[in-house]
Structure formats: structure tokens, C-alpha cells
Amino acid sequence: MKNLFSLFAKNQSLIYKVFLFIVSTLLIIYFLPKGGQFKYNFQKGKPWQYENLYAPFSFTIKKNEDTLKKEREEIRANAIPYFEYDSEVEASVIENFNNNLEVKYIDSLFKTPEKTVERLANVFISDVYKNGVTDEIHNYDNDRLIYLKKGNEIEERNYSQLFKKENLNKKVRELVEKNKVEDVQVLLYNILNEVFEPNVKLNSKLTEASIDAEIKALNPNRGIIEKGGRIIAKGEVVEGDKFQILESLKAEFQSQIWSKNNYLWLLVGYSLLVSLVFLMLFLFLKNYRPYIYNNNTKVTFIFFNIFLMVFLTTLVLKVHSDYVYVVPICILPLILKAFFDPRVGLFVHVLTILLLGFIVPNSFEYMFLQFIAGIVTILTVSELYKRANLFISVGQITLIYILGYFAFFVIQEGNIQTLQWENFGYFILCGLATLFAHPLIYFYEKIFGLVSDVSLLELSDTNSKLLKELSNKAPGTFHHSLNVANLAEASANEIGANSMLVRVGALYHDIGKMLNPTMFTENQANSINSHNELDPKESAQIIIDHVIKGIEIARKNNLPDRVIDFIRTHHGTSLVYYFYKKEREQQGSANKEDFIYPGPIPFSKETAILMMADSVEAASKSLKEPSSTIIDEFVEKIINNQMAQGQFLNANITFKEIEMIKKVLKKKLNNIYHLRVEYPE
């Protein structure tokens, strides 16, 4: 049991990666569509690249979406509307009319008797309300058939048979002219206009239910292809009926293959493909980015982002497949580039798009557009901490989407008459969503403890609490750090390294000297050297301890690990030569181990640059009469000595890059000392 626990403790990092691999694979498979993959790839408007295709089984030809949409629109346009008839309104209107007539009729003003007026009006009301009265306005033709629902019975009517209240004046005039009672026309109209109420209203619920029933009954098929029938010949262009027949075969194939009998085999196939994708990711990280591979938090961060993109895409597809381009996939390479480097961002982006190819419709078009957009993201987004850069890059990404989609549409349709302009709106929404990268980076920094260029910019502020403390307690060290930062930044720019990271690392690399500033020559205000009273071993230990104390201060002030790495490695495993030599002179011999920094040696271009810049800047203070030649030889000597000690063996830096850094350091030091090239007399 003890041995098992010990084995687990030694391999816990590997065990966690295996667990992450299995969980991620299962989650991705869960989101993959439950259907088999059609073995032929085809595009509308492109020639059929395979041999003649014959129907492997009988299947129905599906109508395309445009045809179905048109048929649904026709059903809706021709649907017979239902109107609700209220039989109680008529009696109420007659009663109200009679009551009003009794009040408003004055014998001396009218020739026509009151009873005659009442009789004519009651007959008129009954006749009008028989077919129904409405005050609603509809865009129906007069001969449009409608259903009038009276209780449980439904009668057919023409829409023109419904009486509209707006026609009341005309009908009253016809009534009085027919019965020759013109003297009561105004009285009749005023009272009828006052008491008339609609007794017919459109029953929207029943009408919609009827339309929905017809749409559901719509036949999605338009024919049958018998088994063995030729579908398409080699070289034929996939368009029109051919395209729709192939789409129907693809849909039928996918629905048939995903059966209970094949379920296990399909899972095996999906598992292998998804596993291969994640295996490639692990191999890439292990071989080319070991600092990420060995950090489980960073590996988890990458897997989380892949899963997030797959989850969001699946979620959007469930709402509507047209919205698939709204998902800001380009946030993935953008964020990974901000935290790691462009190659990691592009590699993970490509693998994620391969996974999404199983999920999205028109996978070739989707993958092509996303690949191009991802490459543009990697190539254009630089210095993310500058807000304008993100806006410019988002504009370029959106333009690439629009141009790519337009090109595919023209190839497939051969014209732009049916171009769906709303898709351009989706691309614009995708671009706007990509702007969410900045707040997302902030959340990731807090959740996963990572650091981006945006945070580095904040840390480079010399008015920050820690750097202020350094400038107050150890002004010489602070000035030295600023000089080193300038040298290191210029060197990083020359070889394409992360200049912001190396500048921040340089600013904080010597913060350990704050605890005992006078023990370091740059902070000694007079000629009195405290080391003269100490044993060389003690002096060496004080010098070496500034690295350990610097790490402690950095952790106490929550500096990111990427910055602490510069504190740990800026002296590597070099020798405190001055006190080692002094010990040998005093004692006759010295133990090298007592005078060597604990390391580790630099493991990146940035940490290697800092070691060179720090050593050169510190040692340059000892030059009494610096000249251009002396500085050149001096830089060569220091850096060559570091190379001879193997300080750059773990750093991903080439000899060519080291030579470029030497040139930058020589040029900068010459500028600092205001030197010119010495000309022969």
C-alpha cells in the first residue's frame, strides 16, 4: 500500500493528465452529433470527384429548405381565417337603439312615425348582424373565403359579407331612400352609430392552429430514388436536383447508420478521432512547450478553452444553425497568444476547428473560414495591451469572414441575387463578441493564476508600490534595474522575443537587495565597504541570498510566476568570482559550492537575455576609461564566459540570436557612455 501511494505521488502529474485526457474526450464525444459521417465530400457548384454513385438503398428525395419555406408561406397566405361570432350582441344593440330612439325622437320634428322608424331600424340591425359586424381591418380580398364560428357550428362566408362599421352611413342612406323616410336619416345614423358594436372578431388562435396543422402535414419529400439507381456520374457538377438528391442520401445515410447495432462502433470511431486530436496536443506541448506541459494548471487552461468553444458552438446550433458564425472562435488563438505564444495559439485553434468539423453544417466552408480567420488573428494581433490593436484586428477578422463567405456563395450559386445579407450581420456580431477578449483575459488571470501582456504593462509602472519601495530603499539598485530593463528590452525586440515580459522581469530581478541594500556596491554612498569586515564566505552568502529573498518578496507581493522566473534565473549557477578569489587568496583554497548561485539556469530567450544584460550592465560600472573597443571586448568576454559555463543550454536561443544581442548591448553601452568609434590618427 505504501509503495502504491509512493508511486501515485511520484506520477501524480502524469495521472492528472491521463484523467484530463479521458474526461475531455468523453465530454467532446457527448457533444458530437448522434449520426454517422457520410463518406463522400461534395460542394454545390463543384464537380463530383468520385466514381459513378448508385443508390445503396431506396430513399426519398427531400425538398430543400427554400422549397419548404415557399410552401409554408403559400399555406400561410392561402389559409382560411376563422372568425368568432357573438350571437348576443344583436339583441343588445336592438334594445339600446329602441331606448335611445324613445329619448331622442320628437314628434314635431319628424313626419315618419316613431314606430315606423323603430321597425325599419330593427329589421336593418337584424339583417346586418345576421352575417356579422366587424370593426377590424384585414388585408383580405372581398371574395376571400372565411369561416364563421357560431357556437359549435362553422359556416362559410365571403369576407365581403361581413359588415364594416365604416359603411354604416352609406347603408343608412340606402335604407331611407328605399323606404322614403329621408327626414329621419340623420337621427337613424346618429343612434345606430352610437349603439353599433362588432359581433365578429378574428380568432387568431384557431387560425394559427389551422395553419400549423397544415404545415405539419406538409410532405417534406418530393420523390423516391430506387436502390441501384444512378445518382450522379463522375465529373458531373453538383447542382440543382443532383445536389438535393445527394443531400437526401447523406441525411438518410446518417440516420440509418446511427442505429442501436452500430452505436458502439460509432462511439469507438469518435473516441479514436477525438483521442488523436488531444494526443497531438499533448505531444506538441511535451516536445515544443515543456514549460506548459509540466504545468497542470496551464494544460487545464488550454483544455478548458477547447471545451468552451465546442460547448458554445453546440449550444448555438441547437438554437439555429445560421447563428454558428456568431460564436467568436477567434477568441481562442487571441487568448492563448496573450498568455503563451503564437504557435501555441494557432496549433490549438487548428485542433479545435478539426473537432468542430464534426458538429457544424457545411463543415468544409466553416473550417476554411475559421482557419483563415485564426491565421489572421495570430498574424495581426500584437501588443494586446494597446486597445487600438484589438479593434483593428477585429475589423480585419470580420472582413476576412465576409470576403470568405461571399466567395463561397458566388462559387456555389453562381450569382448574388439570393445572397443572404443577414449573414454579414452575424459576422459583425462575431467581431463584436471577439472584443470580449479583454475582460475574459482578466477573469482567466484571476481563476488560473496566469499573466498576460496587459498585466505586464501594469507591473512595468515604476510608480507601483514595490518599485517605489525599491527606489526608496535601494536607489542604486533601482537605477541599475532601469538600465538593465532598457538593455534587455532592446535586445528582445532585436530577436523577436517578448520585450514586455523581459522588461518587467528586469525591473523586479533585484528586489531581494532591498532587505540589505548597503551590502551591494551600487547602493554604497561612500568609499566604506561593509564586506571588508566580513569573511568572504559570509559576503558571498549575502550576495547569493538576494535571489532567495527576492523570490520571497515577490511571492509576498503576488508577483506572477513568469516574473519570479527572472529573479530565480538571472544569475543561473554562476560563480561569485570576486569573493571566491578572495577566499583562495586568504585561505589558499576555496570550496566552489559555497560561492555558486543556486540556479536554475535560464530556460527561455527572455531569461537568457536578462542574464546577459544584467551581467554586462553591472560589470560596465567597473570600467575606468571605457572606449568603443574596450566595451566591445568586454561584452564579448562576459557573454562568451556565460556560454562556456553552459548557462544557456536550457534556453531556446541560437548562436545567431546571441550574436545579435551582443551587437545591441555594445551599441547601447556606447550610447550610455557617449562614445564614438575611435578613428586612427
Side-chain angles (χ1 to χ4, degrees):
M1 187 69 182
K2 187 177 179 181
N3 291 336
L4 185 64
F5 180 78
S6 177
L7 184 67
F8 178 82
K10 287 180 181 178
N11 298 285
Q12 60 177 344
S13 179
L14 179 61
I15 292 169
Y16 176 78
K17 289 182 178 66
V18 171
F19 171 75
L20 185 64
F21 178 88
I22 294 170
V23 170
S24 301
T25 302
L26 292 176
L27 285 173
I28 297 297
I29 291 171
Y30 176 77
F31 286 112
L32 292 179
K34 303 303 183 286
Q37 293 294 318
F38 192 52
K39 58 183 177 181
Y40 300 106
N41 290 314
F42 58 91
Q43 265 188 283
K44 191 175 183 181
K46 292 281 188 178
W48 180 254
Q49 298 176 342
Y50 308 95
E51 296 299 324
N52 295 356
L53 179 62
Y54 298 90
F57 44 76
S58 298
F59 64 94
T60 55
I61 305 171
K62 308 287 183 185
K63 296 175 184 175
N64 62 34
E65 188 56 37
D66 289 340
T67 302
L68 287 172
K69 184 180 179 181
K70 188 176 179 181
E71 290 183 2
R72 286 193 288 266
E73 288 173 354
E74 286 179 1
I75 288 172
R76 189 168 290 279
N78 298 323
I80 301 175
Y82 283 80
F83 284 84
E84 196 78 33
Y85 182 91
D86 188 348
S87 57
E88 296 179 359
V89 173
E90 180 185 341
S92 174
V93 170
I94 290 173
E95 183 182 352
N96 290 336
F97 177 85
N98 294 339
N99 292 336
N100 274 269
L101 181 65
E102 188 176 341
V103 173
K104 295 180 179 180
Y105 185 86
I106 301 172
D107 292 338
S108 60
L109 295 178
F110 304 105
K111 295 179 181 179
T112 307
E114 182 180 346
K115 288 293 182 182
T116 303
V117 176
E118 182 179 321
R119 178 178 56 80
L120 288 173
N122 289 347
V123 171
F124 173 76
I125 292 170
S126 296
D127 185 52
V128 167
Y129 273 90
K130 183 179 179 181
N131 288 322
V133 176
T134 182
D135 60 354
E136 298 175 340
I137 299 173
H138 302 286
N139 295 323
Y140 298 139
D141 296 331
N142 285 332
D143 59 349
R144 177 71 175 270
L145 184 68
I146 65 170
Y147 289 136
L148 201 60
K149 185 174 181 292
K150 294 183 176 181
N152 294 326
E153 295 181 0
I154 293 178
E155 298 177 3
E156 289 185 357
R157 294 276 193 282
N158 283 331
Y159 181 65
S160 60
Q161 291 179 268
L162 293 181
F163 182 82
K164 285 81 175 175
K165 193 176 178 181
E166 62 191 41
N167 297 327
L168 180 61
N169 192 23
K170 179 183 176 184
K171 286 291 184 181
V172 169
R173 189 168 60 251
E174 291 175 358
L175 175 67
V176 298
E177 287 175 357
K178 181 181 178 182
N179 293 279
K180 298 179 180 179
V181 287
E182 285 85 352
D183 61 314
V184 293
Q185 179 178 336
V186 175
L187 177 66
L188 268 173
Y189 175 75
N190 288 337
I191 298 175
L192 286 172
N193 187 53
E194 187 178 334
V195 301
F196 247 56
E197 292 180 20
N199 72 331
V200 170
K201 289 185 178 180
L202 179 68
N203 190 328
S204 301
K205 189 175 181 181
L206 193 58
T207 304
E208 284 298 320
S210 173
I211 293 171
D212 289 343
E214 282 193 63
I215 290 174
K216 285 179 181 177
L218 194 65
N219 187 0
N221 307 316
R222 64 176 181 83
I224 297 176
I225 298 290
E226 297 292 340
K227 182 179 179 181
R230 194 176 78 173
I231 296 173
I232 193 169
K234 185 176 182 179
E236 276 192 78
V237 177
V238 180
E239 59 184 358
D241 284 347
K242 298 290 183 185
F243 177 74
Q244 195 55 41
I245 291 170
L246 284 169
E247 284 287 326
S248 302
L249 175 61
K250 181 179 178 180
E252 189 69 24
F253 179 86
Q254 290 176 341
S255 64
Q256 284 193 18
I257 197 171
W258 194 261
S259 61
K260 289 183 179 180
N261 296 331
N262 299 332
Y263 187 85
L264 183 61
W265 284 111
L266 287 168
L267 281 181
V268 169
Y270 273 139
S271 300
L272 288 173
L273 291 174
V274 176
S275 298
L276 281 174
V277 169
F278 286 138
L279 184 62
M280 293 305 103
L281 177 57
F282 272 122
L283 288 175
F284 171 80
L285 295 177
K286 189 175 189 321
N287 291 326
Y288 298 104
R289 297 295 182 273
Y291 73 95
I292 298 177
Y293 179 81
N294 294 325
N295 189 318
N296 284 338
T297 302
K298 293 177 179 177
V299 174
T300 305
F301 170 72
I302 292 173
F303 273 79
F304 173 78
N305 276 280
I306 294 174
F307 171 74
L308 182 63
M309 289 298 117
V310 174
F311 173 72
L312 286 176
T313 305
T314 307
L315 203 63
V316 168
L317 284 172
K318 285 183 178 179
V319 177
H320 201 291
S321 60
D322 288 349
Y323 302 152
V324 68
Y325 285 107
V326 176
V327 181
I329 300 295
C330 286
I331 273 188
L332 183 61
L334 196 68
I335 287 176
L336 293 178
K337 182 182 178 182
F339 285 116
F340 305 118
D341 60 77
R343 283 184 67 186
V344 172
L346 184 59
F347 192 83
V348 174
H349 178 71
V350 168
L351 294 182
T352 306
I353 298 304
L354 289 176
L355 291 174
L356 292 175
F358 291 115
I359 300 172
V360 297
N362 300 322
S363 57
F364 176 79
E365 176 184 325
Y366 177 86
M367 292 169 70
F368 182 90
L369 289 178
Q370 296 295 2
F371 281 146
I372 296 298
I375 293 169
V376 169
T377 304
I378 292 297
L379 295 178
T380 60
V381 179
S382 60
E383 298 178 328
L384 194 60
Y385 53 86
K386 295 181 180 178
R387 289 171 295 180
N389 287 359
L390 182 60
F391 283 96
I392 293 168
S393 297
V394 164
Q396 292 171 332
I397 293 164
T398 305
L399 181 63
I400 290 297
Y401 275 131
I402 291 173
L403 291 176
Y405 171 77
F406 179 79
F408 269 106
F409 188 89
V410 170
I411 290 171
Q412 293 170 359
E413 299 295 333
N415 61 72
I416 61 170
Q417 295 173 358
T418 56
L419 187 64
Q420 296 175 322
W421 296 98
E422 63 268 20
N423 286 339
F424 294 151
Y426 300 150
F427 296 133
I428 293 170
L429 286 175
C430 177
L432 293 174
T434 307
L435 294 173
F436 191 67
H438 263 308
L440 198 59
I441 286 171
Y442 175 79
F443 288 127
Y444 279 151
E445 287 178 336
K446 299 304 176 186
I447 295 169
F448 291 94
L450 301 172
V451 60
S452 68
D453 286 351
V454 180
S455 293
L456 291 175
L457 180 64
E458 294 174 0
L459 290 170
S460 67
D461 182 8
T462 53
N463 288 315
S464 64
K465 180 184 174 183
L466 193 54
L467 291 181
K468 271 285 187 186
E469 188 180 353
L470 177 65
S471 67
N472 291 330
K473 291 183 177 179
T477 299
F478 179 71
H479 181 70
H480 159 73
S481 297
L482 285 176
N483 288 337
V484 173
N486 292 330
L487 292 173
E489 185 178 19
S491 301
N493 283 326
E494 185 69 19
I495 67 170
N498 190 332
S499 57
M500 179 60 70
L501 177 62
V502 78
R503 179 174 183 81
V504 173
L507 288 173
Y508 289 91
H509 78 284
D510 269 346
I511 56 174
K513 294 181 179 180
M514 282 194 299
L515 299 181
N516 209 349
T518 57
M519 300 304 290
F520 300 90
T521 54
E522 67 264 26
N523 298 310
Q524 292 170 358
N526 48 50
S527 58
I528 299 172
N529 191 336
S530 304
H531 288 286
N532 293 336
E533 301 174 3
L534 298 175
D535 182 72
K537 281 186 181 179
E538 290 181 76
S539 296
Q541 195 57 48
I542 291 171
I543 300 297
I544 291 169
D545 278 352
H546 88 273
V547 173
I548 307 300
K549 290 173 180 176
I551 294 171
E552 291 173 358
I553 293 170
R555 294 203 183 283
K556 187 178 178 181
N557 285 272
N558 297 317
L559 288 185
D561 287 338
R562 288 177 80 183
V563 177
I564 294 174
D565 288 338
F566 287 91
I567 301 173
R568 293 166 56 222
T569 61
H570 74 277
H571 284 295
T573 55
S574 59
L575 184 69
V576 186
Y577 187 73
Y578 177 82
F579 292 109
Y580 171 70
K581 184 180 178 183
K582 189 176 180 181
E583 175 75 3
R584 277 202 312 181
E585 289 173 354
Q586 290 180 1
Q587 305 296 332
S589 64
N591 184 6
K592 259 192 176 183
E593 297 297 324
D594 296 331
F595 298 87
I596 290 179
Y597 283 96
I601 60 176
F603 50 79
S604 66
K605 288 181 182 180
E606 289 76 17
T607 50
I609 289 170
L610 178 62
M611 173 179 273
M612 296 183 225
D614 179 46
S615 301
V616 167
E617 204 285 331
S620 68
K621 296 294 190 293
S622 64
L623 296 175
K624 294 178 181 177
E625 295 182 4
S627 66
S628 182
T629 305
I630 290 173
I631 287 176
D632 288 356
E633 292 174 354
F634 162 77
V635 170
E636 288 286 345
K637 180 182 177 182
I638 289 178
I639 295 178
N640 288 342
N641 187 42
Q642 289 173 338
M643 292 172 64
Q645 293 175 10
Q647 297 296 327
F648 307 135
L649 290 177
N650 291 342
N652 183 25
I653 193 166
T654 63
F655 286 118
K656 182 180 178 181
E657 288 170 336
I658 292 174
E659 289 301 316
M660 292 167 71
I661 292 167
K662 285 180 182 178
K663 288 180 182 178
V664 172
L665 294 175
K666 291 171 186 176
K667 182 180 177 182
K668 286 288 180 183
L669 286 175
N670 273 284
N671 290 338
I672 290 170
Y673 290 105
H674 305 288
L675 298 174
R676 295 175 181 265
V677 177
E678 293 182 34
Y679 294 96
E681 294 182 2

